[in-house]
Amino acid sequence: MAYFRAGKTRRLAWSVFLLLEIFTASVSALYRGDSPSSGFNSGHGSESQHVLRPIRPIQQPYEPIPSTPDSRPENGEPLISPYAITNPLQELHSALSTMQNFYFSLWLGKWTTAIDWTAAVMGTHVSAALYSLSHSLPYTMPGTFDKDRKIDVEAQMIENEINKYFGHVITYYFGEDHFAIRNQAYDDMLWVVLGWLESIQFINGHSDMHYPASPDRAAGESDWHGKQFAPAFAHRARVFYDLASKGWDWKLCGGGMNWNPHTRLPYKNAITNELFISASIGMYLQFPGDTNCSPFMSGHDRGENLDWKLLRNQELGASDSCSSDSRKATYDPIYLSAAVNAYDWLKNSGMKNDQGLYVDGFHIMDYGKNGSIGTGKCDERNEMVYTYNQGVILSGLRGLWEGTGRVEYLEDGHELIRDVIRATGWTDTDIAPTVAFSKARNSNPGHKQRQAQPKQPSPWSGIGSSGVLTEICDPYGTCSQNGQTFKGIFFHHLTIFCAKLPTSAAMPGKTFFADKTISALHRRGCNDYAPWVLHNANAALKTRDTRGRFGTWWGVNAGTNADDLSENPLRKTLLRKGITAIFPENATDYRNDPQTLFHDTESEWDSDIDPETHVGGMKGRETSDPNRDLNDRGRGRTVETQGGGVAVVRAMWEFLRNYDDDDA
């Protein structure tokens, strides 16, 4: 099969072709009277929301296999199969529509089976997918610049789809149980912040790209209608950021965010600190300000002593209705300082293992003994490794670079990504230990250069197998809603990190931009990851059922060319050696119920794991049907697994769209 580079012109042509195909399929579906499968029960009945159904029958995914290093051109750049370019946008449409069709209840304004924090993540995935759809085709809406300009069919379809799903974002704003989340853990609050900042970024990007400025701006003709919701989204982001920031303290461990204010023992974990870093730099770069200084007014709140006159003044935007703190806007240095300090603490906390992966977190030895704080140090490390702990920090590092201009943030991000890829057992392409933007990075004797991954990887490499990102609970079918959400989070933040660097400052004096050298190094570094991203997206696509729903264990088919799933090398290893083959020592899994983590509810395997120590093996008894769908075990296919599918397919589209940019 011939291979070639994907240029901008050809990608645009393919996008138009794909959208024509989507239009044809959609029209055909209308004439056929297709309806969603009646086998799905949302728990709240069907609302006949007329949500876009999958745009075509589910097919076997294509094989986006990159060239081997030996078959690269002389300049060493990897090549991508044309089949890898043809389908991603269509797959993103399908994954998003399936998620909203099966799991979102329009009249309730929520994903009915999600819990509060996973719902916030699903909202983030929707806004991010809309951003990608918005940027998939250049067009200007009629009446925004040239009243006589006619819009083509493809653009009308894209705009209609965007408006439909943005309507879901709006209803989720009112359906989100934000009052309950105020009383939850700090990480739960920070997911809310990131979600609404993502929505604001989409709103601004869509309006700027498709509704450009015109002389009629004063009449509101050039602003997309969605911009009217940005102040409400910004208000919620500010409220939850202010609440979550109370979790930072300098007394214990010399700094860091505590996970949960409601637990007896403090736990300074990776995810809460990474979220705080990403949320802080996000507030610095994207927060548009907030003139509503009332943090609790909503349909959930009632009070006898409310100052209704003050609240009315706030609604009218009276200048004296809010304190100066409530009107903090973009580029507030407080947010930048918080992000810088938090990452400095995290980087020096010792929270990475020997593979360069973030472990879950730290306890404090003897805390509470005789009423004391014990050692006051983070000296009891939980060695558990989760995929999302490797992802959230990536968007924070990207933002820290833009806010400070310090290339070491980009270098740290690239190093972490490469450590993750190696820890999945990826060997198809050679990936250097890091991307060095400065001579100091290469000459620093303290910089640890990790050895290249062996060409014959073991069945489990630390965070995956056969090059596929994997949670430890995946092969057992025992992931909780938490665990089912993690891989999608990783790919969402990886996509943010690898977006093109700005070549001009968004705000001179407040933000920084990349020169040609930095921009090229970053792009080439991210191009190195494209084959691995495609490999994971293809693995995820193979887990879909006939209704287009993604499974949670993407690697179920990995490592075998046969149809017999019992040949999967990771499954064979687990049957032979048990969970101790992949479970880290001194690890506790707080994200999945230890009583059920290693017990297959459908008797795939019987476990003799001690739930306290997680030590033991598996009683190797297979079911009568070893080729049954292993992604139907446990919680099965859920909105969380579908959100992961949306995120990894979006990552595939964005990596291919930006692949080998001419001006990189």
Side-chain angles (χ1 to χ4, degrees):
M1 180 179 294
Y3 290 87
F4 61 95
R5 273 189 168 75
K8 291 182 178 178
T9 303
R10 188 173 295 274
R11 285 200 301 269
L12 178 58
W14 281 332
S15 297
V16 173
F17 171 78
L18 288 174
L19 290 168
L20 283 171
E21 186 178 1
I22 295 168
F23 175 71
T24 302
S26 300
V27 172
S28 299
L30 290 174
Y31 282 105
R32 291 195 308 268
D34 290 349
S35 60
S37 171
S38 60
F40 175 74
N41 182 6
S42 68
H44 292 271
S46 174
E47 286 84 46
S48 299
Q49 301 168 29
H50 305 291
V51 187
L52 179 65
R53 291 179 286 275
I55 54 182
R56 56 173 174 74
I58 299 302
Q59 303 172 354
Q60 287 296 320
Y62 54 89
E63 294 288 342
I65 304 300
S67 64
T68 63
D70 292 337
S71 63
R72 295 181 182 184
E74 292 181 358
N75 62 8
E77 292 291 296
L79 298 171
I80 298 296
S81 163
Y83 285 97
I85 309 294
T86 306
N87 292 331
L89 183 60
Q90 187 171 341
E91 299 290 7
L92 179 57
H93 281 269
S94 180
L96 178 62
S97 65
T98 300
M99 184 168 83
Q100 297 306 96
N101 187 21
F102 278 98
Y103 302 108
F104 189 76
S105 176
L106 190 61
W107 71 279
L108 290 174
K110 61 179 63 180
W111 297 270
T112 54
T113 57
I115 53 180
D116 290 332
W117 85 265
T118 65
V121 174
M122 297 308 108
T124 305
H125 289 327
V126 172
S127 293
L130 293 182
Y131 183 92
S132 290
L133 295 178
S134 174
H135 287 71
S136 66
L137 191 68
Y139 59 87
T140 302
M141 293 301 296
T144 60
F145 184 75
D146 183 353
K147 293 180 180 296
D148 297 324
R149 180 186 176 101
K150 294 183 179 180
I151 190 170
D152 58 34
V153 173
E154 293 83 9
Q156 287 179 328
M157 291 180 57
I158 288 285
E159 186 67 19
N160 182 63
E161 186 173 4
I162 286 172
N163 279 288
K164 177 173 68 174
Y165 292 128
F166 183 70
H168 292 192
V169 174
I170 296 168
T171 57
Y172 172 60
Y173 174 82
F174 295 102
E176 183 176 48
D177 194 352
H178 52 91
F179 188 78
I181 302 174
R182 292 187 184 109
N183 299 302
Q184 296 176 13
Y186 292 125
D187 60 340
D188 298 324
M189 301 176 193
L190 290 167
W191 294 116
V192 176
V193 178
L194 290 186
W196 295 115
L197 289 178
E198 187 74 37
S199 298
I200 293 169
Q201 190 173 18
F202 157 67
I203 290 171
N204 292 335
H206 187 68
S207 182
D208 292 344
M209 185 171 184
H210 304 297
Y211 296 78
S214 75
D216 296 323
R217 178 173 288 277
E221 290 190 50
S222 61
D223 278 346
W224 182 51
H225 73 88
K227 292 200 76 170
Q228 66 185 311
F229 294 98
F233 297 171
H235 176 63
R236 184 160 295 173
R238 179 185 67 82
V239 167
F240 278 92
Y241 180 85
D242 289 347
L243 290 170
S245 61
K246 297 176 182 178
W248 181 272
D249 87 275
W250 294 101
K251 182 178 181 181
L252 300 175
C253 305
M257 285 283 293
N258 187 33
W259 166 56
N260 193 328
H262 308 296
T263 56
R264 182 177 63 85
L265 299 176
Y267 187 53
K268 297 208 170 181
N269 59 346
I271 195 58
T272 309
N273 282 277
E274 292 181 14
L275 283 165
F276 184 64
I277 294 164
S278 292
S280 295
I281 197 63
M283 292 290 286
Y284 178 74
L285 295 172
Q286 301 164 15
F287 178 59
D290 182 16
T291 58
N292 181 356
C293 57
S294 173
F296 297 109
M297 280 306 297
S298 75
H300 294 280
D301 300 307
R302 297 290 183 267
E304 299 179 357
N305 300 315
L306 295 176
D307 188 338
W308 294 104
K309 182 177 181 180
L310 176 61
L311 295 175
R312 180 58 177 163
N313 286 338
Q314 292 173 13
E315 291 177 355
L316 297 175
S319 59
D320 59 347
S321 62
C322 289
S323 67
S324 59
D325 285 344
S326 299
R327 296 194 297 272
K328 292 175 181 176
T330 316
Y331 313 123
D332 188 314
I334 291 178
Y335 299 130
L336 177 61
S337 178
V340 170
N341 288 334
Y343 182 67
D344 183 65
W345 179 85
L346 179 66
K347 185 175 181 178
N348 293 287
S349 67
M351 213 175 290
K352 281 188 176 183
N353 65 16
D354 291 340
Q355 289 184 283
L357 305 177
Y358 281 100
V359 299
D360 194 54
F362 280 105
H363 289 291
I364 298 170
M365 186 179 295
D366 294 332
Y367 184 90
K369 186 176 182 179
N370 298 323
S372 72
I373 63 171
T375 63
K377 299 177 181 179
C378 284
D379 47 13
E380 289 187 350
R381 198 170 83 171
N382 178 9
E383 299 293 331
M384 192 67 192
V385 175
Y386 300 109
T387 60
Y388 77 155
N389 281 340
Q390 324 311 319
V392 172
I393 190 60
L394 295 175
S395 61
L397 290 168
R398 163 63 182 255
L400 279 167
W401 165 80
E402 188 172 356
T404 65
R406 292 166 52 185
V407 295
E408 54 262 38
Y409 292 124
L410 293 178
E411 292 173 329
D412 288 355
H414 280 287
E415 182 178 341
L416 176 58
I417 295 168
R418 289 160 188 254
D419 286 339
V420 168
I421 293 175
R422 277 189 294 273
T424 64
W426 175 256
T427 61
D428 286 16
T429 57
D430 293 328
I431 296 180
T434 189
V435 177
F437 290 82
S438 61
K439 293 182 180 179
R441 190 73 169 194
N442 285 325
S443 61
N444 181 7
H447 176 61
K448 185 175 182 180
Q449 295 287 340
R450 306 189 197 286
Q451 295 181 352
Q453 185 76 13
K455 288 299 182 182
Q456 297 296 328
S458 61
W460 181 255
S461 300
I463 199 168
S465 177
S466 302
V468 179
L469 195 67
T470 307
E471 297 295 337
I472 288 178
C473 57
D474 281 342
Y476 288 87
T478 52
C479 294
S480 68
Q481 286 179 279
N482 298 313
Q484 288 189 328
T485 313
F486 291 168
K487 293 189 298 293
I489 292 170
F490 173 86
F491 278 100
H492 171 73
H493 291 272
L494 172 65
T495 304
I496 293 174
F497 181 84
C498 274
K500 288 178 60 178
L501 299 179
T503 54
S504 60
M507 176 60 69
K510 301 290 186 180
T511 66
F512 292 79
F513 65 95
D515 60 25
K516 290 184 178 180
T517 300
I518 297 298
S519 180
L521 285 170
H522 180 69
R523 173 52 44 215
R524 290 170 187 168
C526 289
N527 280 350
D528 284 347
Y529 317 143
W532 179 79
V533 171
L534 268 63
H535 177 70
N536 276 264
N538 190 54
L541 287 165
K542 288 181 178 179
T543 69
R544 292 176 301 175
D545 63 11
T546 57
R547 290 180 284 181
R549 298 177 302 174
F550 285 79
T552 189
W553 185 16
W554 299 346
V556 67
N557 296 296
T560 176
N561 295 320
D563 293 331
D564 186 357
L565 298 183
S566 64
E567 291 301 310
N568 181 297
L570 179 56
R571 292 182 69 231
K572 292 171 69 175
T573 297
L574 293 176
L575 281 170
R576 185 172 66 254
K577 297 182 179 180
I579 191 63
T580 54
I582 65 175
F583 202 84
E585 293 185 23
N586 302 316
T588 302
D589 189 350
Y590 291 126
R591 302 295 175 258
N592 300 281
D593 184 354
Q595 298 297 327
T596 62
L597 177 59
F598 307 119
H599 173 65
D600 188 329
T601 56
E602 296 183 18
S603 300
E604 169 71 20
W605 298 306
D606 286 336
S607 171
D608 58 357
I609 296 295
D610 184 330
E612 295 297 325
T613 64
H614 294 164
V615 173
M618 306 301 294
K619 301 173 183 176
R621 181 174 63 83
E622 288 280 349
T623 63
S624 59
D625 182 9
N627 292 319
R628 66 190 174 94
D629 190 341
L630 298 182
N631 275 305
D632 283 339
R633 298 170 302 158
R635 299 192 71 248
R637 290 169 169 84
T638 65
V639 65
E640 288 84 9
T641 65
Q642 191 67 24
V646 170
V648 72
V649 171
R650 174 179 178 256
M652 173 173 62
W653 163 250
E654 291 293 342
F655 270 80
L656 290 173
R657 187 168 71 90
N658 294 318
Y659 182 83
D660 196 19
D661 254 340
D662 295 336
D663 58 347

